[in-house]
mmCIF file of all heavy atoms in Angstrom:
data_model
loop_
_atom_site.group_PDB
_atom_site.id
_atom_site.type_symbol
_atom_site.label_atom_id
_atom_site.label_comp_id
_atom_site.label_asym_id
_atom_site.label_seq_id
_atom_site.Cartn_x
_atom_site.Cartn_y
_atom_site.Cartn_z
ATOM 1 N N GLY A 1 1.577 3.996 -25.856
ATOM 2 C CA GLY A 1 1.277 3.824 -24.391
ATOM 3 C C GLY A 1 1.748 2.546 -23.951
ATOM 4 O O GLY A 1 2.715 1.832 -24.484
ATOM 5 N N PHE A 2 1.087 2.015 -22.892
ATOM 6 C CA PHE A 2 1.436 0.774 -22.213
ATOM 7 C C PHE A 2 0.254 -0.126 -21.879
ATOM 8 O O PHE A 2 -0.851 0.314 -21.808
ATOM 9 C CB PHE A 2 2.142 1.233 -20.917
ATOM 10 C CG PHE A 2 3.422 1.950 -21.239
ATOM 11 C CD1 PHE A 2 3.403 3.297 -21.352
ATOM 12 C CD2 PHE A 2 4.699 1.356 -21.210
ATOM 13 C CE1 PHE A 2 4.503 4.123 -21.646
ATOM 14 C CE2 PHE A 2 5.811 2.078 -21.507
ATOM 15 C CZ PHE A 2 5.743 3.475 -21.661
ATOM 16 N N TYR A 3 0.670 -1.411 -21.725
ATOM 17 C CA TYR A 3 -0.372 -2.451 -21.590
ATOM 18 C C TYR A 3 -0.154 -3.115 -20.183
ATOM 19 O O TYR A 3 0.914 -3.697 -20.004
ATOM 20 C CB TYR A 3 -0.306 -3.453 -22.700
ATOM 21 C CG TYR A 3 -0.875 -4.790 -22.508
ATOM 22 C CD1 TYR A 3 -2.165 -4.943 -21.970
ATOM 23 C CD2 TYR A 3 -0.147 -5.921 -22.826
ATOM 24 C CE1 TYR A 3 -2.697 -6.160 -21.776
ATOM 25 C CE2 TYR A 3 -0.677 -7.219 -22.689
ATOM 26 C CZ TYR A 3 -1.949 -7.354 -22.170
ATOM 27 O OH TYR A 3 -2.455 -8.660 -21.913
ATOM 28 N N TRP A 4 -1.069 -3.088 -19.278
ATOM 29 C CA TRP A 4 -0.921 -3.841 -18.027
ATOM 30 C C TRP A 4 -1.130 -5.239 -18.225
ATOM 31 O O TRP A 4 -2.203 -5.810 -18.601
ATOM 32 C CB TRP A 4 -1.997 -3.228 -16.980
ATOM 33 C CG TRP A 4 -1.799 -3.789 -15.605
ATOM 34 C CD1 TRP A 4 -2.528 -4.837 -15.066
ATOM 35 C CD2 TRP A 4 -0.841 -3.366 -14.634
ATOM 36 N NE1 TRP A 4 -2.138 -4.985 -13.752
ATOM 37 C CE2 TRP A 4 -1.096 -4.190 -13.488
ATOM 38 C CE3 TRP A 4 0.149 -2.366 -14.589
ATOM 39 C CZ2 TRP A 4 -0.285 -3.987 -12.257
ATOM 40 C CZ3 TRP A 4 0.896 -2.262 -13.463
ATOM 41 C CH2 TRP A 4 0.635 -2.982 -12.386
ATOM 42 N N PHE A 5 -0.082 -6.042 -18.054
ATOM 43 C CA PHE A 5 -0.005 -7.490 -18.499
ATOM 44 C C PHE A 5 -0.974 -8.375 -17.768
ATOM 45 O O PHE A 5 -1.508 -9.356 -18.375
ATOM 46 C CB PHE A 5 1.436 -7.914 -18.396
ATOM 47 C CG PHE A 5 1.616 -9.342 -18.947
ATOM 48 C CD1 PHE A 5 1.622 -9.524 -20.353
ATOM 49 C CD2 PHE A 5 1.820 -10.368 -18.105
ATOM 50 C CE1 PHE A 5 1.870 -10.773 -20.858
ATOM 51 C CE2 PHE A 5 2.021 -11.628 -18.598
ATOM 52 C CZ PHE A 5 2.016 -11.873 -19.932
ATOM 53 N N GLU A 6 -1.062 -8.236 -16.406
ATOM 54 C CA GLU A 6 -1.877 -9.131 -15.673
ATOM 55 C C GLU A 6 -3.335 -9.131 -16.092
ATOM 56 O O GLU A 6 -3.878 -7.960 -16.249
ATOM 57 C CB GLU A 6 -1.646 -8.922 -14.220
ATOM 58 C CG GLU A 6 -0.307 -9.356 -13.757
ATOM 59 C CD GLU A 6 0.017 -10.801 -13.959
ATOM 60 O OE1 GLU A 6 -0.715 -11.681 -13.545
ATOM 61 O OE2 GLU A 6 1.099 -11.063 -14.566
ATOM 62 N N GLU A 7 -4.023 -10.201 -16.147
ATOM 63 C CA GLU A 7 -5.386 -10.216 -16.701
ATOM 64 C C GLU A 7 -6.525 -10.189 -15.645
ATOM 65 O O GLU A 7 -7.737 -10.270 -15.965
ATOM 66 C CB GLU A 7 -5.551 -11.431 -17.584
ATOM 67 C CG GLU A 7 -4.638 -11.446 -18.805
ATOM 68 C CD GLU A 7 -4.600 -12.681 -19.600
ATOM 69 O OE1 GLU A 7 -5.337 -13.621 -19.211
ATOM 70 O OE2 GLU A 7 -3.977 -12.731 -20.623
ATOM 71 N N ALA A 8 -6.082 -10.062 -14.421
ATOM 72 C CA ALA A 8 -7.058 -9.946 -13.273
ATOM 73 C C ALA A 8 -6.401 -9.309 -12.193
ATOM 74 O O ALA A 8 -5.174 -9.428 -12.036
ATOM 75 C CB ALA A 8 -7.598 -11.349 -12.884
ATOM 76 N N LEU A 9 -7.106 -8.679 -11.245
ATOM 77 C CA LEU A 9 -6.485 -8.287 -9.956
ATOM 78 C C LEU A 9 -6.127 -9.487 -9.102
ATOM 79 O O LEU A 9 -6.759 -10.490 -9.151
ATOM 80 C CB LEU A 9 -7.412 -7.361 -9.219
ATOM 81 C CG LEU A 9 -7.749 -5.992 -9.861
ATOM 82 C CD1 LEU A 9 -8.577 -5.244 -8.884
ATOM 83 C CD2 LEU A 9 -6.468 -5.257 -10.287
ATOM 84 N N ASN A 10 -5.090 -9.292 -8.288
ATOM 85 C CA ASN A 10 -4.701 -10.345 -7.409
ATOM 86 C C ASN A 10 -5.274 -10.048 -6.004
ATOM 87 O O ASN A 10 -4.974 -9.050 -5.341
ATOM 88 C CB ASN A 10 -3.127 -10.279 -7.261
ATOM 89 C CG ASN A 10 -2.529 -11.329 -6.309
ATOM 90 O OD1 ASN A 10 -3.308 -11.967 -5.575
ATOM 91 N ND2 ASN A 10 -1.352 -11.508 -6.337
ATOM 92 N N PRO A 11 -6.219 -10.950 -5.556
ATOM 93 C CA PRO A 11 -6.911 -10.621 -4.302
ATOM 94 C C PRO A 11 -6.040 -10.648 -3.053
ATOM 95 O O PRO A 11 -6.469 -10.050 -2.054
ATOM 96 C CB PRO A 11 -8.012 -11.823 -4.212
ATOM 97 C CG PRO A 11 -7.367 -12.880 -5.054
ATOM 98 C CD PRO A 11 -6.593 -12.218 -6.141
ATOM 99 N N THR A 12 -4.843 -11.191 -3.117
ATOM 100 C CA THR A 12 -3.936 -11.218 -2.033
ATOM 101 C C THR A 12 -3.031 -10.050 -1.984
ATOM 102 O O THR A 12 -2.237 -9.903 -1.104
ATOM 103 C CB THR A 12 -3.113 -12.526 -2.023
ATOM 104 O OG1 THR A 12 -2.213 -12.538 -3.158
ATOM 105 C CG2 THR A 12 -4.073 -13.729 -2.134
ATOM 106 N N ASP A 13 -3.089 -9.198 -3.010
ATOM 107 C CA ASP A 13 -2.153 -8.064 -3.107
ATOM 108 C C ASP A 13 -2.904 -6.753 -2.707
ATOM 109 O O ASP A 13 -3.545 -6.124 -3.535
ATOM 110 C CB ASP A 13 -1.585 -7.981 -4.532
ATOM 111 C CG ASP A 13 -0.556 -6.873 -4.726
ATOM 112 O OD1 ASP A 13 -0.373 -6.007 -3.760
ATOM 113 O OD2 ASP A 13 0.076 -6.783 -5.781
ATOM 114 N N ARG A 14 -2.772 -6.353 -1.485
ATOM 115 C CA ARG A 14 -3.503 -5.185 -1.005
ATOM 116 C C ARG A 14 -3.035 -3.887 -1.513
ATOM 117 O O ARG A 14 -3.712 -2.844 -1.407
ATOM 118 C CB ARG A 14 -3.509 -5.134 0.500
ATOM 119 C CG ARG A 14 -2.175 -4.921 1.204
ATOM 120 C CD ARG A 14 -2.288 -5.142 2.725
ATOM 121 N NE ARG A 14 -1.012 -5.000 3.394
ATOM 122 C CZ ARG A 14 -0.738 -4.056 4.318
ATOM 123 N NH1 ARG A 14 -1.811 -3.211 4.673
ATOM 124 N NH2 ARG A 14 0.323 -3.967 4.959
ATOM 125 N N TYR A 15 -1.863 -3.840 -2.189
ATOM 126 C CA TYR A 15 -1.347 -2.650 -2.782
ATOM 127 C C TYR A 15 -1.521 -2.535 -4.330
ATOM 128 O O TYR A 15 -1.195 -1.535 -4.824
ATOM 129 C CB TYR A 15 0.156 -2.405 -2.439
ATOM 130 C CG TYR A 15 0.494 -2.415 -0.948
ATOM 131 C CD1 TYR A 15 1.082 -3.441 -0.330
ATOM 132 C CD2 TYR A 15 0.109 -1.244 -0.173
ATOM 133 C CE1 TYR A 15 1.386 -3.375 1.075
ATOM 134 C CE2 TYR A 15 0.391 -1.167 1.124
ATOM 135 C CZ TYR A 15 1.020 -2.292 1.733
ATOM 136 O OH TYR A 15 1.321 -2.177 3.093
ATOM 137 N N GLU A 16 -2.091 -3.556 -4.823
ATOM 138 C CA GLU A 16 -2.157 -3.613 -6.365
ATOM 139 C C GLU A 16 -2.867 -2.357 -6.966
ATOM 140 O O GLU A 16 -2.419 -1.741 -7.960
ATOM 141 C CB GLU A 16 -2.680 -4.883 -6.856
ATOM 142 C CG GLU A 16 -2.636 -4.959 -8.358
ATOM 143 C CD GLU A 16 -3.024 -6.328 -8.874
ATOM 144 O OE1 GLU A 16 -3.905 -6.974 -8.176
ATOM 145 O OE2 GLU A 16 -2.599 -6.781 -9.959
ATOM 146 N N LYS A 17 -4.071 -2.124 -6.481
ATOM 147 C CA LYS A 17 -4.857 -1.014 -6.988
ATOM 148 C C LYS A 17 -4.102 0.353 -6.930
ATOM 149 O O LYS A 17 -4.132 1.111 -7.793
ATOM 150 C CB LYS A 17 -6.224 -0.905 -6.267
ATOM 151 C CG LYS A 17 -7.147 -2.133 -6.571
ATOM 152 C CD LYS A 17 -8.427 -1.935 -5.802
ATOM 153 C CE LYS A 17 -9.339 -3.110 -5.924
ATOM 154 N NZ LYS A 17 -10.607 -3.022 -5.138
ATOM 155 N N GLU A 18 -3.509 0.530 -5.774
ATOM 156 C CA GLU A 18 -2.775 1.771 -5.517
ATOM 157 C C GLU A 18 -1.569 1.805 -6.452
ATOM 158 O O GLU A 18 -1.331 2.961 -7.132
ATOM 159 C CB GLU A 18 -2.168 1.731 -4.067
ATOM 160 C CG GLU A 18 -1.245 2.860 -3.722
ATOM 161 C CD GLU A 18 -0.646 2.671 -2.370
ATOM 162 O OE1 GLU A 18 -1.189 2.005 -1.479
ATOM 163 O OE2 GLU A 18 0.536 3.168 -2.244
ATOM 164 N N ILE A 19 -0.904 0.690 -6.749
ATOM 165 C CA ILE A 19 0.283 0.714 -7.679
ATOM 166 C C ILE A 19 -0.268 0.916 -9.093
ATOM 167 O O ILE A 19 0.367 1.670 -9.853
ATOM 168 C CB ILE A 19 0.979 -0.634 -7.535
ATOM 169 C CG1 ILE A 19 1.695 -0.603 -6.191
ATOM 170 C CG2 ILE A 19 1.932 -0.897 -8.651
ATOM 171 C CD1 ILE A 19 2.202 -1.996 -5.741
ATOM 172 N N ILE A 20 -1.346 0.270 -9.562
ATOM 173 C CA ILE A 20 -1.905 0.576 -10.860
ATOM 174 C C ILE A 20 -2.214 2.044 -11.041
ATOM 175 O O ILE A 20 -1.884 2.622 -12.022
ATOM 176 C CB ILE A 20 -3.170 -0.370 -11.078
ATOM 177 C CG1 ILE A 20 -2.771 -1.882 -11.140
ATOM 178 C CG2 ILE A 20 -3.787 0.044 -12.456
ATOM 179 C CD1 ILE A 20 -4.021 -2.731 -11.191
ATOM 180 N N ARG A 21 -2.887 2.614 -10.065
ATOM 181 C CA ARG A 21 -3.278 4.086 -10.180
ATOM 182 C C ARG A 21 -2.102 4.994 -10.269
ATOM 183 O O ARG A 21 -2.051 5.840 -11.078
ATOM 184 C CB ARG A 21 -4.135 4.417 -8.991
ATOM 185 C CG ARG A 21 -5.509 3.857 -8.941
ATOM 186 C CD ARG A 21 -6.434 4.379 -7.853
ATOM 187 N NE ARG A 21 -7.698 3.728 -7.778
ATOM 188 C CZ ARG A 21 -8.072 2.846 -6.744
ATOM 189 N NH1 ARG A 21 -7.220 2.605 -5.768
ATOM 190 N NH2 ARG A 21 -9.289 2.264 -6.809
ATOM 191 N N ASP A 22 -1.050 4.612 -9.383
ATOM 192 C CA ASP A 22 0.089 5.416 -9.476
ATOM 193 C C ASP A 22 0.812 5.301 -10.868
ATOM 194 O O ASP A 22 1.374 6.296 -11.478
ATOM 195 C CB ASP A 22 1.097 5.001 -8.379
ATOM 196 C CG ASP A 22 2.369 5.821 -8.278
ATOM 197 O OD1 ASP A 22 2.287 6.941 -7.747
ATOM 198 O OD2 ASP A 22 3.417 5.380 -8.775
ATOM 199 N N THR A 23 0.868 4.107 -11.355
ATOM 200 C CA THR A 23 1.572 3.903 -12.658
ATOM 201 C C THR A 23 0.749 4.569 -13.814
ATOM 202 O O THR A 23 1.398 5.164 -14.643
ATOM 203 C CB THR A 23 1.532 2.347 -12.934
ATOM 204 O OG1 THR A 23 2.367 1.683 -11.886
ATOM 205 C CG2 THR A 23 2.221 2.051 -14.256
ATOM 206 N N CYS A 24 -0.556 4.470 -13.777
ATOM 207 C CA CYS A 24 -1.347 5.094 -14.797
ATOM 208 C C CYS A 24 -1.140 6.618 -14.780
ATOM 209 O O CYS A 24 -1.094 7.333 -15.791
ATOM 210 C CB CYS A 24 -2.875 4.756 -14.696
ATOM 211 S SG CYS A 24 -3.256 3.086 -15.178
ATOM 212 N N ARG A 25 -1.071 7.163 -13.473
ATOM 213 C CA ARG A 25 -0.939 8.671 -13.389
ATOM 214 C C ARG A 25 0.513 9.072 -13.985
ATOM 215 O O ARG A 25 0.581 10.120 -14.648
ATOM 216 C CB ARG A 25 -0.910 9.068 -11.960
ATOM 217 C CG ARG A 25 -2.324 9.196 -11.306
ATOM 218 C CD ARG A 25 -2.302 9.948 -9.977
ATOM 219 N NE ARG A 25 -1.575 9.237 -8.978
ATOM 220 C CZ ARG A 25 -2.131 8.326 -8.152
ATOM 221 N NH1 ARG A 25 -3.480 8.103 -8.248
ATOM 222 N NH2 ARG A 25 -1.439 7.652 -7.198
ATOM 223 N N TYR A 26 1.471 8.232 -13.777
ATOM 224 C CA TYR A 26 2.834 8.526 -14.352
ATOM 225 C C TYR A 26 2.808 8.387 -15.850
ATOM 226 O O TYR A 26 3.358 9.329 -16.518
ATOM 227 C CB TYR A 26 3.850 7.556 -13.825
ATOM 228 C CG TYR A 26 5.253 7.790 -14.218
ATOM 229 C CD1 TYR A 26 5.848 9.061 -13.929
ATOM 230 C CD2 TYR A 26 5.928 6.927 -15.066
ATOM 231 C CE1 TYR A 26 7.125 9.377 -14.216
ATOM 232 C CE2 TYR A 26 7.210 7.272 -15.400
ATOM 233 C CZ TYR A 26 7.825 8.487 -15.101
ATOM 234 O OH TYR A 26 9.105 8.727 -15.442
ATOM 235 N N ILE A 27 2.084 7.449 -16.422
ATOM 236 C CA ILE A 27 2.069 7.320 -17.809
ATOM 237 C C ILE A 27 1.291 8.405 -18.407
ATOM 238 O O ILE A 27 1.802 9.093 -19.473
ATOM 239 C CB ILE A 27 1.320 5.951 -18.150
ATOM 240 C CG1 ILE A 27 2.155 4.781 -17.902
ATOM 241 C CG2 ILE A 27 0.857 5.955 -19.636
ATOM 242 C CD1 ILE A 27 1.422 3.449 -17.887
ATOM 243 N N HIS A 28 0.250 8.902 -17.819
ATOM 244 C CA HIS A 28 -0.507 10.067 -18.377
ATOM 245 C C HIS A 28 0.308 11.302 -18.271
ATOM 246 O O HIS A 28 0.226 12.159 -19.179
ATOM 247 C CB HIS A 28 -1.846 10.217 -17.508
ATOM 248 C CG HIS A 28 -2.746 9.123 -17.701
ATOM 249 N ND1 HIS A 28 -3.653 8.748 -16.807
ATOM 250 C CD2 HIS A 28 -2.967 8.313 -18.800
ATOM 251 C CE1 HIS A 28 -4.472 7.743 -17.298
ATOM 252 N NE2 HIS A 28 -3.946 7.448 -18.543
ATOM 253 N N SER A 29 1.125 11.470 -17.241
ATOM 254 C CA SER A 29 1.972 12.662 -17.005
ATOM 255 C C SER A 29 2.995 12.810 -18.213
ATOM 256 O O SER A 29 3.479 13.852 -18.489
ATOM 257 C CB SER A 29 2.736 12.645 -15.704
ATOM 258 O OG SER A 29 3.798 11.696 -15.665
ATOM 259 N N LEU A 30 3.296 11.642 -18.806
ATOM 260 C CA LEU A 30 4.215 11.570 -19.924
ATOM 261 C C LEU A 30 3.506 11.775 -21.316
ATOM 262 O O LEU A 30 4.191 11.780 -22.327
ATOM 263 C CB LEU A 30 5.060 10.312 -19.932
ATOM 264 C CG LEU A 30 5.860 10.025 -18.721
ATOM 265 C CD1 LEU A 30 6.535 8.638 -18.738
ATOM 266 C CD2 LEU A 30 6.955 11.123 -18.525
ATOM 267 N N GLY A 31 2.174 11.776 -21.170
ATOM 268 C CA GLY A 31 1.361 11.989 -22.403
ATOM 269 C C GLY A 31 1.049 10.698 -23.189
ATOM 270 O O GLY A 31 0.659 10.766 -24.345
ATOM 271 N N TYR A 32 1.061 9.487 -22.461
ATOM 272 C CA TYR A 32 0.747 8.251 -23.054
ATOM 273 C C TYR A 32 -0.521 7.683 -22.452
ATOM 274 O O TYR A 32 -1.095 8.157 -21.488
ATOM 275 C CB TYR A 32 1.859 7.309 -22.887
ATOM 276 C CG TYR A 32 3.189 7.759 -23.602
ATOM 277 C CD1 TYR A 32 4.215 8.251 -22.832
ATOM 278 C CD2 TYR A 32 3.348 7.776 -24.924
ATOM 279 C CE1 TYR A 32 5.372 8.681 -23.426
ATOM 280 C CE2 TYR A 32 4.506 8.223 -25.573
ATOM 281 C CZ TYR A 32 5.488 8.704 -24.795
ATOM 282 O OH TYR A 32 6.619 9.112 -25.321
#
């Protein structure tokens, strides 16, 4: 699988949660 490198959420990035969720969904769709 994969490791999300950043160690905290960025409070100034309003899209970060959405991007993490989308990325995790894609990883899961590949079976990882």
Side-chain angles (χ1 to χ4, degrees):
F2 297 85
Y3 160 51
W4 186 259
F5 184 72
E6 292 301 303
E7 298 174 355
L9 291 186
N10 181 351
T12 66
D13 185 352
R14 64 189 179 120
Y15 296 111
E16 185 175 28
K17 293 179 183 179
E18 174 188 334
I19 289 168
I20 294 173
R21 292 186 183 110
D22 184 79
T23 301
C24 287
R25 280 194 297 269
Y26 184 64
I27 289 168
H28 293 151
S29 76
L30 299 174
Y32 300 106

